[in-house]
Structures are given as C-alpha cells and as structure tokens.
Amino acid sequence: MCEECTGKGEIMSQVKELRVQMLGGFSMLYGDQQLTFGKNVASKSMQLLQLLLYRKDSGVERKELMDTLYGRSNLSDPSNNLRVSVHRLRKQLIDAGLPKEEYIHIDEGVYCWKSSFPVSIDVLEFQALICQAKEVEDEARIKLLHQAVNLYSGDFLPKLSGEDWVVLESVGHKRAYEDALREVLVYQSSKEQYAEMLRLAGIASDLYPFDEWQSYKIEAFMGMGKDEEALRVYNETSKLFFEELGISPSERIENQFKIMSDHMRNIPKLISDIQDGLQEKEEEKGAYYCSFPSFLDEYRVVKRIVERNGDSVYLMLCTLMDSKGNPMQSGKKLDEMSKELRKAIKDSLRKGDSYTQYSANQFLILLIGTKEESCHVVSERISEHLSKVHKHWRNCVEYHISSIIDTKHEESQINFKRKSNE
C-alpha cells in the first residue's frame, strides 16, 4: 500500500464518532467519552440541541424554533432569547468535551447541526430501518424489523415528555415499535425461535407492562415446554393488572391460561412435587394477600364449608374516606393512603386471615373464626396501625362487616366519628 493511502487510513481511524441516545433517555458519547451538561437537561439550550440533532438532516426554521422553545413564554423578544440559547449551547458543547467548532449553522433562517465528525442517533437509525423494511418482504423484512426493535430502548426523550413536539414524535415511534415487534414475534413463533422471542417480549414487558407483551412471554415459555414458567408469568400479570388497574388481563392471556391448565393436567407428577409447588416461597408474618380472583375463589369455598359446619366467618369492607365523608377519589394522596392501609391490614390480622384490594379506595378482608364483636377489635387495630403514620388517618377509614352465611346480606356497620381529614 502506498504511503499516501496509509496516511489517509490513519487519519480516518482517528476520527471519533458522536453517538446520541434519544430513545429511553438522552445521552451523548464522543468516542469513549461520555458528555455531561449538568443537571438541567430540560433547559432551552438542551432542548435546542436535541431538536437540532433530531432534525440534523433537514434543519429547523427560525420561526419553528422560536415557537417550539418559547411559544408558551409570552416573551417580548424570542429571537433574542434564541440567539442567547445558541451562544450558550455552543459553549456547553465545547465545555462538555467536543472539539472547538461552531456546530450550529444558520443559512437563510434555517438552523442546522454541522460537525466535522460523524454523528449517529439511535432514533434516526430506528426510523431508517423501519422505512427500509417497507421496501422488502419476507425474511429480509423481518431482519430489518428485528434490528429496529433491538435499537428501541424506551420512549422518545422521556424527560421532555411535556413538550408538544416530543409527545407527537414519541407516539409515532412507539406505534412503529409495537407494529414491528408484533410482526417479529409472530414470525419467531412460527419458526419456533422461542429463546429470542422470550428476550424481546421480556424487554417490551419491562418497558410497557400494561400493553400485555407478557402474552408473548407466556407463548414462548409454552413453546419451550416450560409451562410452570408460563403460569408464573400469567399469575404475575394478573396480579399487576388487578392491583394497578382493577381489571383482568385480556382474553388472549386468559385463553393461554386455559391451554396451560389443560396441558399441565396431563403431566403426571409425584404428590411431593405438587405439594412443594403449592407451598409459599417465603413464610411471611401477618395476613395473606391475594388477587381479587383468588380471593373470590377462597370466599366461595369457605362459604360452602361454613354452611356445613356452622363456623363464624365475616367479610369486612374497608373504605378510605375524605373529610366530607365521601369515598376518596384518585390522586397522589389516595395512592399513599391505600399503600399504608394495605400494610396496616397485613400487620393487624392473623396468618389465617386473607385480604385483597377490591378497588383504589377499598379492601376486603375474610375473617375466619371471628365473632361479630371481635370485628370491632380488628378495625380498631387497623386504625391504630394507620395512626402511626399520620395521627388523623385513623379517622379516614369506614368499616362494614357482613356474615358470609347471611343469605339476606344484612350488613352490620362499624362507624367512627371521623374528624376533618387535614
């Protein structure tokens, strides 16, 4: 090789690349150096940087920049603020570790990113792969979509999720990710590529736990013959959906559960193995928490038993109330109080008692072998635990009890004179 070509090769090898992450967060890596810009990553200069990088191929007109950055501010001279932000950004880039360059090029009112080194941006690569996949078919298409979903690591610029332009772009990228991922997972299922299918579905489930990507995890485990793992994912998903949203998983997941149940019943096992699987993983103190569907099954079984042997069992309803005596509505305070009430119930009851969260502001407790007069003691104990967090919270719970063998469902009510919910 001639000396001239060798020299050019050495120069090229020394050129560093700026790698930018915009999906799932924002970061910039120049060569091996992580660039830092301080704590205020949502400042106008940082938003200007992110917008210019995102539109590095086309640039952004001055009016659009001013509207995007200062449209809500009612500034008297937004063009001056834009000039200040550009000046500040150039300094920040150099202070962060980039070479001394202008970076922001202005041509006839259009602002563009310009650098002497190459820049790669994950979201632009993601978009390019999605577009390329539209031009091909079959395995070539799946290969490109697979590369795209591997690039996607979360919502577009999540720390700027309050900005209109970010919201619009984020929705589009998420929809493209969902469509691509679904196509890849269906293909992998048809080819029995269960390990990779499980990995991709696992990442999606972590990113968007309420979008039911768990159904593909269940399908992958079932395909691998790991029905117990599939059942574990089903149970975790059912619990998550009921506790957080108050609903059951989709019909697809419920159908998978039926298939699993039928299949698992056909696998002979020793009773010792079955019993081991029925045991609690870790022994815990206090009452037993279960999802509402499980609580419903327990209630019906216990009701049948007590109708035969005459034991005393009561159902207790605990409702969080506001200062006006109405059930609390959604909000940060309800979330906090609901969490503490759940803990108070667990710590106040015996191991043989069970409870569940019925809705955002209500809990149900099954009190086995308890007399009616003892229910008041239980409610006092729960309120006492709550008062350890905030003294006035003991007055924010209303208790109702009913015997589960009372066919008329005549309800006994335990009331407290609640003070103002401060």
Side-chain angles (χ1 to χ4, degrees):
M1 185 180 290
C2 66
E3 292 182 5
E4 183 180 353
C5 293
T6 303
K8 287 182 179 179
E10 290 175 353
I11 292 172
M12 289 299 293
S13 65
Q14 294 172 4
V15 175
K16 295 180 180 179
E17 181 185 34
L18 177 64
R19 297 191 295 279
V20 182
Q21 175 196 357
M22 290 190 174
L23 295 170
F26 179 72
S27 66
M28 298 175 67
L29 193 68
Y30 181 61
D32 297 326
Q33 179 186 356
Q34 185 77 45
L35 304 186
T36 57
F37 299 93
K39 296 181 180 179
N40 193 7
V41 293
S43 66
K44 296 301 181 185
S45 58
M46 282 296 99
Q47 190 175 164
L48 172 63
L49 169 64
Q50 292 159 357
L51 188 54
L52 290 175
L53 286 171
Y54 183 59
R55 299 271 290 276
K56 73 181 184 70
D57 296 329
S58 60
V60 189
E61 292 186 359
R62 178 185 286 109
K63 185 180 185 305
E64 182 182 351
L65 272 179
M66 290 190 296
D67 289 344
T68 300
L69 297 176
Y70 311 110
R72 300 178 182 177
S73 304
N74 295 320
L75 297 173
S76 58
D77 189 6
S79 60
N80 180 63
N81 288 79
L82 179 59
R83 283 193 294 272
V84 171
S85 294
V86 168
H87 176 76
R88 182 180 295 127
L89 176 57
R90 284 171 173 154
K91 184 177 186 304
Q92 286 176 305
L93 290 169
I94 296 169
D95 290 344
L98 289 182
K100 290 185 178 181
E101 298 182 18
E102 286 293 305
Y103 294 111
I104 304 168
H105 179 71
I106 306 171
D107 183 16
E108 296 183 356
V110 177
Y111 289 64
C112 299
W113 172 271
K114 189 174 183 180
S115 61
S116 62
F117 45 83
V119 179
S120 65
I121 302 172
D122 60 351
V123 67
L124 299 186
E125 292 177 4
F126 171 80
Q127 286 179 317
L129 288 166
I130 295 294
C131 289
Q132 291 171 32
K134 294 177 181 178
E135 305 300 322
V136 295
E137 297 179 352
D138 303 327
E139 291 192 7
R141 173 180 171 84
I142 295 298
K143 184 178 180 180
L144 290 168
L145 293 177
H146 192 193
Q147 293 176 34
V149 298
N150 274 322
L151 269 177
Y152 192 92
S153 54
D155 289 336
F156 175 65
L157 295 176
K159 290 192 175 181
L160 290 182
S161 58
E163 301 295 330
D164 292 343
W165 75 275
V166 173
V167 172
L168 292 173
E169 299 298 323
S170 182
V171 169
H173 298 321
K174 183 173 183 282
R175 186 179 297 118
Y177 168 69
E178 291 170 339
D179 293 342
L181 179 59
R182 193 171 290 109
E183 189 170 341
V184 170
L185 291 174
V186 169
Y187 173 85
Q188 289 174 339
S189 178
S190 69
K191 298 296 183 181
E192 299 184 358
Q193 298 173 358
Y194 297 122
E196 180 63 7
M197 180 181 177
L198 182 63
R199 186 186 72 84
L200 292 177
I203 293 171
S205 298
D206 290 340
L207 289 174
Y208 304 111
F210 299 110
D211 288 358
E212 297 203 341
W213 295 108
Q214 295 92 332
S215 67
Y216 291 96
K217 289 180 67 177
I218 292 172
E219 183 178 340
F221 274 130
M222 290 170 65
M224 297 163 78
K226 297 182 178 181
D227 290 335
E228 291 185 355
E229 287 297 312
L231 184 59
R232 177 185 59 79
V233 174
Y234 168 80
N235 287 331
E236 290 174 352
T237 305
S238 296
K239 183 178 179 181
L240 174 70
F241 270 63
F242 188 80
E243 289 182 1
E244 298 295 330
L245 303 178
I247 61 174
S248 299
S250 67
E251 185 178 351
R252 170 181 165 84
I253 292 182
E254 293 296 342
N255 288 336
Q256 287 177 322
F257 173 69
K258 293 176 183 177
I259 294 170
M260 272 188 292
S261 299
D262 292 340
H263 185 251
M264 290 178 74
R265 280 197 291 266
N266 293 327
I267 302 175
K269 287 188 176 183
L270 296 173
I271 190 169
S272 57
D273 294 334
I274 296 173
Q275 191 170 4
D276 286 342
L278 295 174
Q279 300 294 333
E280 291 184 66
K281 299 303 180 184
E282 295 181 8
E283 188 171 342
E284 295 184 5
K285 296 180 180 180
Y288 181 77
Y289 179 84
C290 50
S291 65
F292 181 71
S294 299
F295 186 87
L296 182 61
D297 288 338
E298 182 184 4
Y299 176 91
R300 290 172 177 173
V301 170
V302 170
K303 188 174 188 295
R304 290 188 177 203
I305 294 172
V306 298
E307 284 174 346
R308 185 177 68 247
N309 63 22
D311 282 351
S312 175
V313 180
Y314 282 89
L315 181 70
M316 177 178 284
L317 175 65
C318 309
T319 306
L320 285 164
M321 312 294 284
D322 61 22
S323 59
K324 298 179 180 179
N326 300 314
M328 291 188 70
Q329 300 301 312
S330 60
K332 186 176 180 180
K333 186 170 184 180
L334 174 58
D335 293 340
E336 182 184 0
M337 292 184 70
S338 178
K339 181 179 178 181
E340 292 299 333
L341 178 56
R342 174 173 170 169
K343 185 176 183 299
I345 293 172
K346 178 179 178 61
D347 295 342
S348 301
L349 302 179
R350 303 164 300 180
K351 289 181 66 175
D353 298 320
S354 58
Y355 69 107
T356 189
Q357 185 161 5
Y358 182 71
S359 64
N361 56 20
Q362 290 185 311
F363 286 83
L364 287 172
I365 306 171
L366 199 58
L367 300 168
I368 300 175
T370 301
K371 297 185 181 299
E372 183 173 351
E373 54 269 23
S374 299
C375 293
H376 178 80
V377 176
V378 172
S379 61
E380 277 294 313
R381 197 181 299 141
I382 295 171
S383 295
E384 187 64 31
H385 272 87
L386 265 182
S387 68
K388 293 177 182 178
V389 184
H390 290 290
K391 189 174 181 180
H392 72 276
W393 280 12
R394 69 171 296 115
N395 305 305
C396 299
V397 185
E398 189 168 87
Y399 301 88
H400 298 261
I401 62 167
S402 178
S403 170
I404 72 169
I405 58 173
D406 185 353
T407 55
K408 295 181 180 179
H409 300 289
E410 292 176 355
E411 188 182 72
S412 301
Q413 180 175 329
I414 301 174
N415 282 320
F416 295 111
K417 293 181 180 178
R418 292 186 308 275
K419 298 177 183 177
S420 174
N421 186 2
E422 299 169 332

